[in-house]
Amino acid sequence: MADQRVLTAAVHQEEDWYVAQCLEVDVASQGQTIEEALTNLREAVALYLAEAPEPQLTATPLVTSFQIPGTAA
């Protein structure tokens, strides 16, 4: 059995769709639910890595959150 890679996805909503983007390769996909977007992203990344002659994977970025002061509306 081949080793599995662990990659990172960022997911955001655009209107009625969820968009999932892999942070290690320049591949994105979408779906009507978060799980569908992630499933589609897994397939798209697997195809990209299988077909690209020399796939470019960047280091997994540090993903964190931070706070800023609230602003008056």
Side-chain angles (χ1 to χ4, degrees), residues 10 16 19 21 31-32 35 42-43 53 56 60-62 64 68:
D16 295 337
V19 178
Q21 178 179 359
Q32 292 183 319
E35 190 53 44
R42 282 184 201 96
E43 181 179 325
Q56 300 294 316
T60 301
L62 169 65
T64 188
I68 60 171

Side-chain angles (χ1 to χ4, degrees), residues 2 15 23-24 27 29-30 32 34 40 42 45 61 63-64 72:
E15 298 180 12
L23 300 182
E24 289 83 7
V27 175
S29 194
Q30 65 185 16
Q32 292 183 319
I34 293 172
N40 292 340
R42 282 184 201 96
V45 169
V63 178
T64 188

Side-chain angles (χ1 to χ4, degrees), residues 6-61:
V6 176
L7 301 174
T8 311
V11 181
H12 68 276
Q13 190 169 7
E14 290 184 8
E15 298 180 12
D16 295 337
W17 294 91
Y18 289 93
V19 178
Q21 178 179 359
C22 180
L23 300 182
E24 289 83 7
V25 294
D26 189 22
V27 175
S29 194
Q30 65 185 16
Q32 292 183 319
T33 65
I34 293 172
E35 190 53 44
E36 182 180 2
L38 291 172
T39 297
N40 292 340
L41 180 63
R42 282 184 201 96
E43 181 179 325
V45 169
L47 288 170
Y48 167 76
L49 293 176
E51 297 295 325
E54 293 184 30
Q56 300 294 316
L57 274 77
T58 60
T60 301

